[in-house]
Amino acid sequence: MDYEAIYRRSIERPEEFWAEEAKAIYWHTPPRQILDYSNPPFRKWFVGGETNLCYNAVDRHVGERGEQLALVAVSSETGVTREVSYAELFREVNAFAAVLKRLEVGRGDRVVIYMPNMAEAVFAMLACARIGAVHSVVFGGFAAHNLALRIDDATPKLLIAADAGCRGGKVIPYKPLVDAACAEAASPPAKVLIVSRGLDAAEPRVEGRDVDYAALREQVGDAQVPVEWLESNEPSYLLYTSGTTGKPKGVQRDVGGYAVAMAQSMRTVFDCAPGQVMFSTSDVGWAVGHSYNVYGPLIGGCTALLYEGLPTTPDAGAWWALCEKYGVRTMFSSPTAIRVLKKHDIGFIRDHDLSRLKYLFLAGEPLDEPTAVWINGALGKPVIDNYWQTETGWPALTLLPGVDMKPVKFGSPGFPNLGYRMKVIDERTGVEVAAGRKGVLVIVPPLPPGCMTTVWNDDARFLQSYFSHFDELLYSSLDWAIRDEEGYTFILGRTDDVINVAGHRLGTREIEEVISGDPGVAEVAVIGVHDELKGQLPVVFVTMRQAPQDPCAVAAELRQRVVRQLGAVARPSRVHIVNALPKTRSGKLLRRSLQALAEQRDPGDLSTLDDPNALEEIRRVLNMPGE
Ligand code: ATP
Ligand code: MG
């Protein structure tokens, strides 16, 4: 079937289209109405329908594929691999749900989950879904303050925490972080359930608050807990955005719409059928982790491969060895991870039998062309750029190989996904711009199933953050984009990444593109720094693939390159060659902090920083006369 035809149907006759798609999941009670859009931009999908995410992800498959692997949780940190069949998943999720019941968690209660990529994190999520509790997974790399912020927003009845996480062989005990977060929070949870892997021996208990999962697990044995049937629009989970641009927003997801979006995208986007294997290298704390480490593959009856650890442990072939061993069909990762692997020998990829691997999807940040070209060449498989946001929960721009595999165009995540009515509009007039012209990427509501329903407890913020930017009621992605003549969309960066040089508006991303076109460049970040005379000036931070012999010459050449391609107005005022750029654990560049440091301001909350050394180095180079 061709993409254009099916896409058009999804836009022109959404109710008919989604009614058909809804048949892919199990409904305890079928929906009475497909779409209720009586209160724009809020919308309700599959009104009156009753279903359950856990039932669709687990129970439904036990009969037909009980012995099939549902989950393979591999940890290169602990050295443990756990292979879990659907039958075993059913047992473990029921047991976890029984434990939650004992702790008096019920429908509508919030449960914060603070765990790394381990099998029990998946059990915990599904157990919450089973009993109608609203989970909110907080990325294990977040420090106490971040955890406290999320606790106060979600006001959970229970916090489930691992005893520790590991990173690069180093054990990071979670208990001290949990204790600090509970002390800081205004409304800490009454109970903390600790799932121990025996990593943190100290692990002191708080009397009356802390409970040990293993002990309760033993008590509940093979207990089964009935599924709680939820109306399609009840909340299923909350997930906070990364907070790259400010206070994180509690993205609220529904039940029915999300299940349908997961079932559909596994087929149309990820081309992964029941029984096939999907490997997403994301973390359960992120949107991709929710959708394609857990719910998508399981709702699809696939095998989900979950990985804890660095992509380079024990060596840079770790992921490809897993692809070979488990016959991974669809792999999902991020540009950052690929850039890490790019520093290693291509043999780490080529030495593996990847004949069953069909696609590599990459999402989360701009996929620069050199990285895309490199991994595409190394794998010899299509590398599909995926654009989405925590808010959308599933790809908004993508290719759909399960429907119609269009040619990959480097630098573009492709076309609007099914059900996404997207436009690129002029930021001032709100009018759609011509092909090849830059504008703001927007989604014309109603948002398709699977996307956020609101900001948790804050409808006003939902409206204000996303729908208040134009006269017309439009969801603003807050990203710049260009659509070319053939309909491929290119993302040019965030609308707040624009700098103003002597009245000219420049996207920092455009300058970054030019610089990363230099074959010697590994990574680049461009920021605008305040200038008395010109308003702002671009400042470049760059890492090179090999340490340059003459940094001054390299810097001069990079500066010339920008001038040649974008004009003198874009000339970087300084080019700093560094060893590493400051990034969050999810691989997003901390431009905001870079800019603050360059302007001698407070860099803000750095607890999500991946490598503190990177920032120290930035501080150092900023105090030296730049090249
Ligand atoms: P916050 O909204 O709290 O500031 P965030 O936007 O970093 O945090 P996410 O929802 O994780 O949180 O990231 C979504 C953003 O990541 C997109 O809006 C876009 O800027 C960027 N992004 C994601 N995928 C791509 C892609 N394929 N190409 C370019 N940019 C992408
Ligand atoms: Mg965002």
Side-chain angles (χ1 to χ4, degrees), residues 150 240-249 251 286-288 335 362-367 384-392 397 411-413 461 466 475 477-480 490-497 509 584 586 588-589 592:
R150 287 157 173 80
Y240 290 84
T241 59
S242 327
T244 313
T245 49
K247 181 175 169 249
K249 296 173 279 268
V251 166
W286 305 129
V288 177
L362 298 174
E365 29 154 349
L367 174 59
I384 302 179
D385 187 359
N386 239 230
Y387 167 86
W388 45 307
Q389 305 184 309
T390 307
E391 291 86 344
T392 67
L397 292 169
S412 167
R461 192 166 181 214
Y466 304 107
Y475 171 93
S477 69
L478 305 174
D479 285 315
W480 296 112
F490 294 75
I491 302 292
L492 302 178
R494 298 170 189 249
T495 51
D496 59 0
D497 281 348
R509 170 111 169 86
T584 63
S586 58
K588 289 180 196 296
L589 268 171
R592 223 170 12 122

Side-chain angles (χ1 to χ4, degrees), residues 275-589:
Q276 295 178 333
V277 185
M278 177 149 186
F279 177 15
S280 165
T281 68
S282 183
D283 189 280
V284 290
W286 305 129
V288 177
H290 280 64
S291 294
Y292 300 108
N293 292 15
V294 183
Y295 288 111
L298 295 178
I299 287 174
C302 307
T303 300
L305 189 56
L306 188 73
Y307 182 85
E308 179 190 33
L310 302 175
T312 46
T313 312
D315 60 45
W319 287 356
W320 315 110
L322 289 171
C323 285
E324 177 175 341
K325 179 169 176 197
Y326 291 100
V328 171
R329 175 182 175 87
T330 304
M331 182 153 170
F332 197 145
S333 193
S334 65
T336 307
I338 303 303
R339 283 193 287 266
V340 168
L341 296 177
K342 191 172 160 211
K343 293 187 181 145
H344 297 263
D345 194 274
I346 207 166
F348 282 115
I349 298 179
R350 297 247 166 98
D351 287 349
H352 294 283
D353 172 8
L354 299 177
S355 53
R356 288 162 79 187
L357 184 68
K358 287 264 296 196
Y359 316 97
L360 173 65
F361 288 81
L362 298 174
E365 29 154 349
L367 174 59
D368 57 286
E369 186 160 340
T371 302
V373 169
W374 179 79
I375 189 67
N376 177 247
L379 289 173
K381 322 268 174 182
V383 173
I384 302 179
D385 187 359
N386 239 230
Y387 167 86
W388 45 307
Q389 305 184 309
T390 307
E391 291 86 344
T392 67
W394 60 303
L397 292 169
T398 184
L399 297 183
L400 288 99
V403 173
D404 176 8
M405 181 68 195
K406 300 269 191 211
V408 169
K409 230 186 224 190
F410 287 124
S412 167
F415 305 93
N417 200 351
L418 305 178
Y420 282 84
R421 187 195 288 263
M422 299 178 91
K423 292 201 289 196
V424 180
I425 65 173
D426 184 284
E427 79 197 278
R428 282 174 300 261
T429 63
V431 175
E432 195 157 10
V433 298
R437 301 299 288 265
K438 174 174 160 180
V440 180
L441 183 67
V442 298
I443 308 175
V444 182
L447 298 177
C451 293
M452 74 189 298
T453 48
T454 187
V455 171
W456 172 250
N457 250 337
D458 203 345
D459 286 349
R461 192 166 181 214
F462 177 65
L463 295 173
Q464 220 271 321
S465 304
Y466 304 107
F467 289 95
S468 66
H469 302 269
F470 307 100
D471 292 341
E472 205 186 324
L473 197 58
L474 295 168
Y475 171 93
S476 176
S477 69
L478 305 174
D479 285 315
W480 296 112
I482 281 186
R483 194 176 276 181
D484 74 6
E485 296 283 351
E486 289 177 300
Y488 284 84
T489 302
F490 294 75
I491 302 292
L492 302 178
R494 298 170 189 249
T495 51
D496 59 0
D497 281 348
V498 169
I499 59 176
N500 198 323
V501 183
H504 299 273
R505 292 166 67 74
L506 298 171
T508 50
R509 170 111 169 86
E510 291 166 76
I511 305 175
E512 288 174 4
E513 274 292 319
V514 169
I515 291 182
S516 66
D518 182 303
V521 167
E523 281 192 288
V524 55
V526 174
I527 54 163
V529 175
H530 177 73
D531 179 76
E532 284 298 327
L533 208 60
K534 295 190 170 167
Q536 279 182 306
L537 286 174
V539 170
V540 175
F541 296 87
V542 63
T543 64
M544 306 300 291
R545 302 195 61 178
Q546 269 167 357
Q549 305 235 307
D550 182 354
C552 286
V554 172
E557 165 49 27
L558 291 177
R559 195 185 275 123
Q560 266 318 306
R561 199 180 162 88
V562 174
V563 172
R564 273 199 307 274
Q565 296 190 28
L566 298 177
V569 58
R571 178 196 299 273
S573 67
R574 291 168 67 148
V575 175
H576 298 289
I577 298 173
V578 293
N579 291 310
L581 298 174
K583 280 191 267 179
T584 63
R585 287 284 190 81
S586 58
K588 289 180 196 296
L589 268 171

Side-chain angles (χ1 to χ4, degrees), residues 81-128:
T81 291
R82 195 148 166 203
E83 297 183 343
V84 183
S85 68
Y86 271 100
E88 193 185 345
L89 184 64
F90 179 81
R91 276 197 302 278
E92 290 303 328
V93 169
N94 271 281
F96 215 116
V99 168
L100 294 180
K101 287 265 176 192
R102 286 216 174 179
L103 298 171
E104 289 169 10
V105 177
R107 184 169 182 159
D109 289 336
R110 273 84 55 213
V111 174
V112 165
I113 300 175
Y114 186 55
M115 295 168 96
N117 271 2
M118 55 197 267
E120 288 83 355
V122 178
F123 305 158
M125 291 164 78
L126 293 166
C128 288

